[in-house]
Amino acid sequence: MSKLIKVSQNHSEVKNPKRGQFALITFIIIAASVTLFYYNPASSDLYPPSPFRVLTGLYCPGCGTLRALHQLLHGHLITAFGLNPLMLISLPFLIGSYLNYGVEAITGKSLWQIFIPAKLIWFLLQVVIAYWVVRNIPFHPFSWLAP
Amino acid sequence: MTKQSVPNYLVQAILVTLFCCLPLGVAAIVQAAQVNSKLQVGDYEGAVLASEQAKKYCWWSLYAGIAVFILYFIIGLVSGGT
């Protein structure tokens, strides 16, 4: 059951409302990238702190995402990976899904249609929760996962 | 019944988990998994319900993230910090 099941789909809708959404998403990504490039979240007051961190003093799976993206935009792949490895691993999938969405919005046909088996999503959930717990363990090698 | 017709909002769920930093993102991933679980056993209506839940959690998580951002901005202005 762990194979990805491909489902073909015929697209014959009239006007595609996804175009406006795609334009908006693209605009947000560009604006966020420019901001993140010029203002380092590690030293700037521009960004709010993580509410989870403020309330509990613990790290969450999203901690280090903005700092990692800042480092990534400056080409520091290793530093970015050290700040939030899970984010960096998931990034190619997020970019892939963004591209797929864009192609579908513009041409009306998607690059791929993948049905992700439920098992894989449950596994992802376990990974996220394990990551959440483990990166709070304050000694080596777990502390490496902390931002 | 096409499996593709029910969105599971998995990408959005991952995004809010990484950026909005709230347990709501995890709840959204749970619902995304429910959508595909139910589709696999042919429970179309259950999948639609889970899909709506997933969408709801993603939006609430995003709202919470934006609320924190605005709150932070206001506190910054009031306290006179730059």
Side-chain angles (χ1 to χ4, degrees), chain A residues 51-107:
Chain A
F52 185 78
R53 178 122 176 86
V54 168
L55 290 173
T56 64
L58 297 168
Y59 298 121
C60 79
C63 282
T65 297
L66 294 179
R67 276 168 286 165
L69 286 173
H70 173 80
Q71 293 298 334
L72 196 65
L73 287 167
H74 285 268
H76 306 142
L77 190 67
I78 313 258
T79 317
F81 192 78
L83 282 163
N84 195 338
L86 189 68
M87 187 278 288
L88 226 64
I89 293 166
S90 57
L91 205 57
F93 298 101
L94 295 174
I95 292 171
S97 108
Y98 165 76
L99 289 177
N100 194 28
Y101 191 85
V103 170
E104 200 186 329
I106 292 162
T107 66

Side-chain angles (χ1 to χ4, degrees), chain A residues 45 50 60 65 113 116 118 122, chain B residues 4 18 21 36-37 40 72 82:
Chain A
D45 293 337
S50 156
C60 79
T65 297
Q113 285 286 344
I116 303 165
W122 289 117
Chain B
Q4 216 54 49
L18 285 174
C21 206
N36 285 19
S37 280
Q40 277 174 357
Y72 174 76
T82 42

Side-chain angles (χ1 to χ4, degrees), chain B:
Chain B
M1 186 205 80
T2 57
K3 283 183 169 178
Q4 216 54 49
S5 51
V6 184
N8 63 11
Y9 301 101
L10 181 62
V11 172
Q12 289 91 329
I14 294 171
L15 281 173
V16 293
T17 307
L18 285 174
F19 287 94
C20 293
C21 206
L22 284 157
L24 282 169
V26 171
I29 298 178
V30 171
Q31 293 302 327
Q34 293 276 14
V35 173
N36 285 19
S37 280
K38 287 182 172 157
L39 284 177
Q40 277 174 357
V41 296
D43 178 8
Y44 185 79
E45 267 135 52
V48 171
L49 278 176
S51 176
E52 281 163 10
Q53 289 291 315
K55 191 180 180 181
K56 194 183 78 184
Y57 283 127
C58 287
W59 278 116
W60 279 110
S61 185
L62 185 65
Y63 294 151
I66 293 170
V68 166
F69 193 82
I70 293 171
L71 208 67
Y72 174 76
F73 194 71
I74 291 169
I75 291 169
L77 279 183
V78 169
S79 64
T82 42

